[in-house]
Amino acid sequence: MKKRSLVSIDDLSTDEIIKILDMAKKFEKEPTQNLLNGKVVSTLFFEPSTRTRLSFESAVSRLGGKIIGFTDASSSSVTKGETLNDTIRTVNSYCDIIVMRHPIEGSARYASEVADVPVINAGDGANQHPTQTLLDLYSIRKTQGTLDNLSVAMVGDLKYGRTVHSLMMAMARWNTTFHFISPEELGMPPEYKLYLDNLDLTYYEHTDLNEVSGKADIIYMTRVQKERFSDPMEYEKVKNAYVLRRSMLGSCRENMRILHPLPRVNEIHYDVDSDPRAYYFEQALNGVYTRQGILCFLLGASN
Amino acid sequence: MKKGKQLSVSAIRNGTVIDHIPSGNLFKVILILGLDRIDNQITFGTNLESDRLGSKAIIKIADRFFEEEDINRIALVAPEAKLNIIRDYDVVEKHVVTVPKSIKAIAKCFNPKCITNHENVLTRFSVTNSSPVALKCHYCEKITDEEHLTII
């Protein structure tokens, strides 16, 4: 089998995305399957992560595989000045697949070219995080029953948020209508709007969250970070405008679900957690099934 | 040669003339083609009048002929350049440059957080727009535009 890596969501065809989501669905029904028995998975986390690393490790454990690796660069030879090239070439011979998070953009693509085994990008700086996108797609399909013709509202920091960019570009494959809700300073960058224009997809831009709550099947929340503002006064003015509260859900559709890549700080008020439309913790759980599907897809194991 | 028109850069007997280079990019073209490292006789002029570009540069390289692949490398900085192949003072062939779909090891990625600026990795770009130039990095996927373009 030809080596396949997953660096960017664009590496996958639409059929392949659906195949991985279908595999994930089977893992949700039956999470423990010994499909990676005898396989060694390296988890190289050059920067810390809670959810991504633990859900990968949980996925490997449920598949009967073994894990080697490190959880931050300080416990690796990077502190001695080893290059990524040398680290990957070495680890490559110890394992069957590499899962890597690295702060430098493009590091995952480079690692996939250096390694003989598949590489899964678990986040390369502000660039790509395809396994998050796949678990978002899984959560959307599971809660809505389809990916076709949905209305997706993306809220918060749309300028720097890599998860919203990847998800937007992926959802564009299924004729999605987008609502972008953000402070003007953190709006969706022009190149992404151009991408939608070229596909003839409809999108709306808003600054008020209340305007769209009733129009969305999915509300995808992200954090508005203070350090993104050039003027601290601007942040103070808008910081509470992008906080979702239970009182705002009155006009929302029954089928609507609230997603968030987590960690949240204050952008979703705790009173939302008990609403049946809050879905972010289930979304995090879906990450395990989706990553089981991704590991098996890349290693040619079928469930 | 037309009568009454004086050449700003004297003619060569055999070799290659590269015309219609934007004045500001003359030295980039020299670097890309490695003209600073060859022994052939080279004459050039810059800040010459040009109807099309306003101000242009021209390079004449004696006894040197280029492969098409090499010459397309200058398309990034001189997309309107024209090449004349000279034999015995006559133009025997004319070429225009075409912007390649992808380029390797010519330009630098403008993103300071890109792996190509941290490790010894050859840069690779796909050309997403030719005029003005826009290059998408194969690694970090960021776009380097003409304003930020640096030739290695």
Side-chain angles (χ1 to χ4, degrees):
Chain A
M1 198 183 85
K2 197 174 165 285
K3 182 194 88 171
R4 278 293 297 272
S5 288
L6 177 59
V7 174
S8 163
I9 190 74
D10 292 341
D11 295 347
L12 298 171
S13 70
T14 302
D15 284 349
E16 288 171 332
I17 291 176
I18 297 297
K19 188 177 175 191
I20 290 171
L21 301 187
D22 288 343
M23 288 170 86
K25 194 176 171 184
K26 289 190 201 165
F27 284 120
E28 181 169 359
K29 286 203 186 98
E30 198 185 340
T32 307
Q33 299 187 39
N34 230 10
L35 294 167
L36 296 189
N37 189 19
K39 300 277 188 199
V40 177
V41 179
S42 290
T43 53
L44 311 184
F45 280 73
F46 292 88
E47 68 179 5
S49 144
T50 313
R51 263 157 299 277
T52 306
R53 182 172 62 80
L54 292 179
S55 70
F56 260 115
E57 295 189 354
S58 170
V60 174
S61 305
R62 286 176 180 183
L63 292 167
K66 292 274 185 291
I67 296 156
I68 59 171
F70 49 82
T71 57
D72 76 277
S74 64
S75 59
S76 76
S77 288
V78 176
T79 49
K80 300 174 191 163
E82 185 174 57
T83 61
L84 179 61
N85 176 69
D86 289 7
T87 306
I88 296 295
R89 276 183 200 280
T90 310
V91 171
N92 183 51
S93 50
Y94 302 155
C95 65
D96 300 287
I97 190 164
I98 293 171
V99 177
M100 184 177 94
R101 168 168 289 194
H102 198 287
I104 299 294
E105 293 160 26
S107 54
R109 179 74 62 198
Y110 179 56
S112 77
E113 291 171 353
V114 171
D116 299 317
V117 298
V119 172
I120 299 176
N121 181 8
D124 60 330
N127 186 30
Q128 295 288 332
H129 191 6
T131 67
Q132 176 72 45
T133 307
L134 284 164
L135 83 87
D136 290 342
L137 292 175
Y138 184 80
S139 300
I140 293 170
R141 191 179 75 158
K142 187 181 162 193
T143 59
Q144 306 301 320
T146 178
L147 289 169
D148 290 308
N149 309 315
L150 295 172
S151 169
V152 174
M154 296 177 154
V155 184
D157 178 357
L158 307 184
K159 185 173 181 186
Y160 299 100
R162 72 178 168 196
T163 53
V164 291
H165 298 156
S166 300
L167 181 61
M168 186 211 84
M169 290 175 74
M171 280 304 288
R173 301 181 191 216
W174 289 281
N175 191 37
T176 306
T177 302
F178 294 96
H179 294 272
F180 301 134
I181 304 109
S182 69
E184 264 171 39
E185 208 165 333
L186 297 179
M188 188 58 84
E191 63 262 35
Y192 292 101
K193 290 191 272 183
L194 185 66
Y195 183 82
L196 296 179
D197 287 335
N198 288 337
L199 292 171
D200 253 341
L201 290 175
T202 313
Y203 60 87
Y204 304 92
E205 295 184 273
H206 315 263
T207 49
D208 186 355
L209 185 49
N210 287 301
E211 276 176 41
V212 283
S213 50
K215 296 175 186 157
D217 299 307
I218 293 289
I219 295 183
Y220 198 95
M221 297 294 298
T222 63
R223 186 152 47 102
V224 173
Q225 294 175 67
K226 190 176 182 176
E227 55 271 26
R228 299 293 191 201
F229 285 81
S230 46
D231 178 359
M233 278 306 287
E234 278 302 309
Y235 170 75
E236 292 302 324
K237 267 192 251 170
V238 303
K239 68 176 183 187
N240 290 321
Y242 301 94
V243 176
L244 192 64
R245 296 165 199 282
R246 190 162 193 163
S247 57
M248 296 157 80
L249 298 178
S251 61
C252 288
R253 297 176 180 177
E254 279 306 307
N255 68 306
M256 188 277 286
R257 290 294 177 273
I258 302 156
L259 270 57
H260 190 302
L262 303 180
R264 96 175 127 173
V265 178
N266 64 346
E267 58 278 10
I268 302 176
H269 196 274
Y270 288 100
D271 68 7
V272 176
D273 292 1
S274 55
D275 190 283
R277 288 166 288 193
Y279 194 73
Y280 24 94
F281 293 114
E282 287 95 327
Q283 182 189 0
L285 172 60
N286 291 338
V288 177
Y289 311 133
T290 311
R291 288 174 175 121
Q292 284 182 288
I294 294 164
L295 286 161
C296 289
F297 174 79
L298 295 177
L299 288 170
S302 174
N303 61 341
Chain B
M1 190 178 24
K2 281 179 202 158
K3 257 189 180 171
K5 186 180 172 188
Q6 199 178 348
L7 288 181
S8 309
V9 179
S10 56
I12 51 171
R13 181 168 184 167
N14 291 304
T16 306
V17 173
I18 308 172
D19 201 355
H20 299 291
I21 300 166
S23 293
N25 287 343
L26 168 67
F27 290 96
K28 286 181 180 164
V29 171
I30 289 172
L31 284 178
I32 291 172
L33 293 177
L35 301 182
D36 54 334
R37 297 190 300 267
I38 60 172
D39 296 330
N40 305 50
Q41 206 174 79
I42 302 169
T43 47
F44 63 81
T46 188
N47 299 330
L48 308 175
E49 267 179 43
S50 160
D51 291 341
R52 202 181 320 163
L53 300 172
S55 165
K56 69 166 186 179
I58 187 168
I59 309 176
K60 300 188 180 187
I61 308 128
D63 303 315
R64 178 75 196 257
F65 305 93
F66 296 90
E67 298 291 332
E68 197 174 332
E69 199 184 318
D70 284 336
I71 215 71
N72 284 342
R73 290 157 49 100
I74 71 167
L76 291 182
V77 293
E80 296 189 61
K82 301 230 170 0
L83 264 81
N84 294 330
I85 311 299
I86 312 290
R87 299 215 191 255
D88 209 14
Y89 294 108
D90 275 334
V91 176
V92 293
E93 270 178 66
K94 289 183 174 216
H95 295 291
V96 289
V97 299
T98 43
V99 179
K101 286 200 177 80
S102 65
I103 60 161
K104 217 172 174 177
I106 299 174
K108 189 175 172 325
C109 181
F110 88 107
N111 176 10
K113 290 178 78 179
C114 177
I115 185 78
T116 59
N117 292 317
H118 287 261
E119 283 205 16
N120 189 20
V121 183
L122 290 182
T123 62
R124 283 168 66 183
F125 297 90
S126 56
V127 179
T128 54
N129 199 33
S130 52
S131 186
V133 168
L135 305 175
K136 185 177 182 188
C137 177
H138 168 73
Y139 293 99
C140 76
E141 306 184 24
K142 296 277 183 298
I143 306 278
T144 298
D145 61 15
E146 203 159 89
E147 193 190 333
H148 298 96
L149 186 65
T150 314
I151 302 300
I152 297 171

